[in-house]
């Protein structure tokens, strides 16, 4: 058995077919190879590792060099994807070996965070990942949006194919990256696939020359469904402008389906809106995303509440040791444990998943303890709650 990093063109005959068997209809049609060839440029900057046995690829894993917002700081993030094993080589530890080597390399290259969409969450929890909220899907009839057609809104709406409007879309999602906790975007080499496929419309809300809302979408058929991707907006005015645009399709489509951030409440948009909201999680699909810290550097200088806690990190390859987390200045300092006098600061024992859950804001310190992701005494929970107040992340990028 050997592990090696693939050159870009090798993916056609090694990792791509293995991933297709794992995640697509099978056996694969011959024409699918040509489609794989078209995908190559959008994977050019990925890191792909494979296990080979007797010149046969038996497992593969890839990392996409991305960026993610963690409580206001935009940091390098490794998006793990394409984790697949040959059916005759499963349950032999190949994925564990590949994940260790992949994340070792990504961490060495400066990636402080990592995220993925798991086939089974409990498998990746053992690698220190913790669950993030899944985006919601809202389905409603455009006729129910009719009251918005009478609203006078301060914005201009621009409508174009995504192939034309891509620069506007990319610039707006980059701004969302800077402003929204948990938000992640693809590198340029991957993101331009949306432009090149040109299979979406783009509706953008513009105010004083600046984009303040946007959504990409397609229509499956007349009297069918307007299928919208993520609804992005700065404020209720921008959201209302996008919903008003959907309302104009009342005589064209029977329903609108739109993806929403986990903290959005469409049942409060309008009176008498008949809406079905769902966030379904199952195995093996659809699953909720997961993420973790790869380095404590990700926490340095983060804006936090005023608190102090001593944490001992256990059971992890990348996060270990005893550290003082000090938020006395309003920004987090990660200091050697010896900085605090013994017994003077509340202490907790955390796994990597436990610390990641606090950093991403998805679990309260008490929930970390209940979930078995750490030992958190009451006094330490108080301090950790001050340092890491609950905050819902919104991953956005789907990979």
């Amino acid at each position: 058995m050997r592990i090696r990093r693939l050159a870009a063109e090798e993916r056609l005959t090694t990792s791509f077919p293995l991933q297709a068997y794992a995640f697509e209809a099978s056996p694969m049609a011959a024409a699918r190879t040509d489609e794989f060839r078209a995908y190559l440029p959008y994977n050019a900057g990925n890191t792909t590792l494979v296990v080979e046995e007797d010149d046969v690829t038996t497992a593969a894993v890839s990392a996409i060099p991305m960026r993610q917002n963690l409580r206001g700081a935009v940091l390098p993030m490794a998006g793990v994807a394409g984790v697949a094993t040959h059916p005759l080589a499963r349950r032999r530890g190949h994925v564990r070996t590949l994940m260790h080597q992949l994340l070792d390399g990504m961490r060495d290259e400066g990636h402080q965070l990592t995220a993925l969409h798991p086939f089974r969450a409990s498998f990746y929890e053992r690698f220190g990942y913790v669950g993030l909220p899944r985006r919601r899907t809202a389905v409603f009839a455009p006729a129910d949006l009719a009251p918005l057609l009478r609203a006078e809104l301060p914005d201009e709406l621009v409508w174009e194919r995504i192939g034309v409007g891509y620069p506007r879309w990319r610039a707006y999602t980059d701004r969302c990256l800077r402003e929204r906790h948990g938000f992640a975007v693809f590198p340029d080499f991957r993101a331009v696939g949306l432009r090149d496929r040109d299979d979406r419309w783009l509706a953008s809300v513009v105010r004083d020359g600046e984009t303040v809302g946007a959504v990409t979408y397609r229509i499956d058929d007349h009297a069918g469904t307007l299928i919208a991707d993520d609804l992005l907006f700065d404020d209720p005015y921008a959201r209302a402008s996008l919903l008003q645009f959907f309302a104009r399709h009342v005589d064209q489509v029977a329903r609108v389906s739109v993806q929403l951030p986990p903290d959005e409440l469409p049942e409060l948009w309008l009176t008498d809106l008949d809406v079905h909201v769902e966030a379904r999680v199952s195995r093996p699909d659809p699953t909720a995303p997961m993420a973790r810290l790869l380095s404590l550097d990700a926490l340095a200088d983060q804006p936090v509440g005023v608190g102090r806690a001593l944490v001992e990190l256990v059971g992890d390859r990348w996060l270990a040791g005893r550290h003082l987390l000090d938020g006395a200045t309003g920004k987090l300092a990660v200091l050697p444990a010896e900085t605090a006098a013994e017994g003077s600061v509340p202490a907790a024992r955390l796994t990597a998943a436990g610390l990641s859950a606090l950093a991403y804001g998805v679990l309260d310190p008490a929930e970390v303890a209940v979930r078995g992701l750490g030992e958190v005494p009451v006094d330490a929970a108080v301090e950790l709650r001050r340092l890491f107040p609950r905050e819902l992340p919104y991953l956005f990028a789907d990979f």
Side-chain angles (χ1 to χ4, degrees), residues 116-128:
L116 50 76
H117 292 268
F119 67 88
R120 182 185 291 270
S122 58
F123 178 84
Y124 287 103
E125 187 176 81
R126 294 194 290 271
F127 288 94

Side-chain angles (χ1 to χ4, degrees), residues 233-253:
F233 51 87
D234 285 12
D235 55 38
Y237 287 116
R239 181 185 63 202
S241 292
L242 292 171
L243 294 177
Q244 187 183 73
F245 175 73
F246 291 156
R248 295 173 187 156
H249 293 76
V250 63
D251 296 318
Q252 183 179 353
V253 299

Side-chain angles (χ1 to χ4, degrees), residues 17-353:
L18 204 59
Q19 293 163 23
Y21 182 82
F23 302 113
E24 300 181 15
S26 190
M28 182 177 69
R32 188 73 173 116
T33 302
D34 293 331
E35 295 176 11
F36 284 157
R37 187 170 287 107
Y39 292 160
L40 280 176
Y42 310 116
N43 290 268
N46 291 359
T47 296
T48 299
L49 302 181
V50 296
V51 171
E52 292 178 333
E53 297 177 281
D54 299 325
D55 296 324
V56 175
T57 302
T58 54
V61 62
S62 294
I64 309 163
M66 301 172 65
R67 292 172 293 151
Q68 186 179 29
N69 183 313
L70 182 70
R71 294 186 182 269
V74 177
L75 303 171
M77 185 269 275
V80 175
V83 181
T85 307
H86 191 288
L88 298 181
R90 292 174 180 171
R91 299 188 180 274
R92 286 163 48 187
H94 290 337
V95 168
R96 174 174 294 277
T97 301
L98 285 176
M99 284 289 293
H100 283 164
Q101 187 160 322
L102 180 77
L103 294 180
D104 281 348
M106 298 307 289
R107 188 176 187 272
D108 289 345
E109 291 175 14
H111 293 82
Q112 299 171 18
L113 309 171
T114 174
L116 50 76
H117 292 268
F119 67 88
R120 182 185 291 270
S122 58
F123 178 84
Y124 287 103
E125 187 176 81
R126 294 194 290 271
F127 288 94
Y129 287 86
V130 67
L132 304 185
R134 181 172 172 78
R135 58 163 60 88
R136 271 59 176 149
T137 301
V139 181
F140 47 86
D144 282 358
L145 302 178
L148 287 173
L149 293 173
R150 299 189 295 271
E152 294 186 10
L153 301 171
D155 308 316
E156 172 193 2
L157 196 130
V158 178
W159 178 66
E160 56 200 338
R161 292 277 291 255
I162 187 60
V164 175
Y166 176 78
R168 183 197 307 276
W169 169 255
R170 180 66 169 171
Y172 184 56
T173 55
D174 274 345
R175 183 158 69 79
C176 292
L177 170 69
R178 297 190 299 272
E179 297 175 356
R180 179 134 197 180
H181 170 55
F183 205 90
V185 298
F186 290 123
D188 289 338
F189 69 80
R190 172 72 172 261
V192 294
L194 181 65
R195 177 199 65 192
D196 297 345
R197 289 190 301 273
D198 198 21
D199 60 356
R200 296 286 194 276
W201 295 103
L202 171 64
S204 304
V205 182
V206 178
R207 184 183 306 154
D208 299 326
E210 182 179 6
T211 302
V212 294
V215 65
T216 56
Y217 72 94
R218 63 185 179 88
I219 295 173
D220 64 0
D221 207 348
H222 181 71
T225 304
L226 187 157
I227 304 168
D229 301 310
D230 294 68
L231 194 73
L232 303 177
F233 51 87
D234 285 12
D235 55 38
Y237 287 116
R239 181 185 63 202
S241 292
L242 292 171
L243 294 177
Q244 187 183 73
F245 175 73
F246 291 156
R248 295 173 187 156
H249 293 76
V250 63
D251 296 318
Q252 183 179 353
V253 299
R255 68 198 67 84
V256 174
S257 173
V258 60
Q259 303 293 308
L260 300 171
D263 59 353
E264 188 60 28
L265 302 174
E267 62 271 27
L268 303 182
W269 286 348
L270 288 167
T271 305
D272 293 334
L273 176 64
D274 188 346
V275 58
H276 177 85
V277 185
E278 183 177 53
R280 181 169 173 263
V281 177
S282 65
R283 296 191 309 268
D285 193 61
T287 60
M290 303 183 79
R292 63 156 291 165
L293 307 180
L294 271 181
S295 169
L296 288 177
D297 292 342
L299 298 180
D301 296 325
Q302 289 278 10
V304 293
V306 178
R308 295 179 87 221
L310 194 66
V311 296
E312 180 184 1
L313 301 174
V314 297
D316 189 64
R317 185 183 181 93
W318 301 283
L319 303 180
R322 298 174 73 243
H323 308 271
L324 175 64
L325 305 182
D326 191 344
T329 66
K331 289 193 174 182
L332 187 62
V334 182
L335 305 170
E338 297 74 25
T339 321
E342 190 68 32
S344 65
V345 181
R349 199 165 183 259
L350 299 174
T351 63

Side-chain angles (χ1 to χ4, degrees), residues 71 130-131 348-351 353-393:
R71 294 186 182 269
V130 67
R349 199 165 183 259
L350 299 174
T351 63
L355 180 62
S356 297
L358 297 175
Y360 276 95
V362 292
L363 294 181
D364 180 84
E367 293 174 301
V368 169
V370 169
R371 291 271 299 272
L373 302 179
E375 299 169 10
V376 188
V378 173
D379 57 350
V382 171
E383 297 299 314
L384 289 170
R385 201 170 285 124
R386 290 171 178 162
L387 288 170
F388 302 110
R390 192 75 176 265
E391 186 172 359
L392 278 182

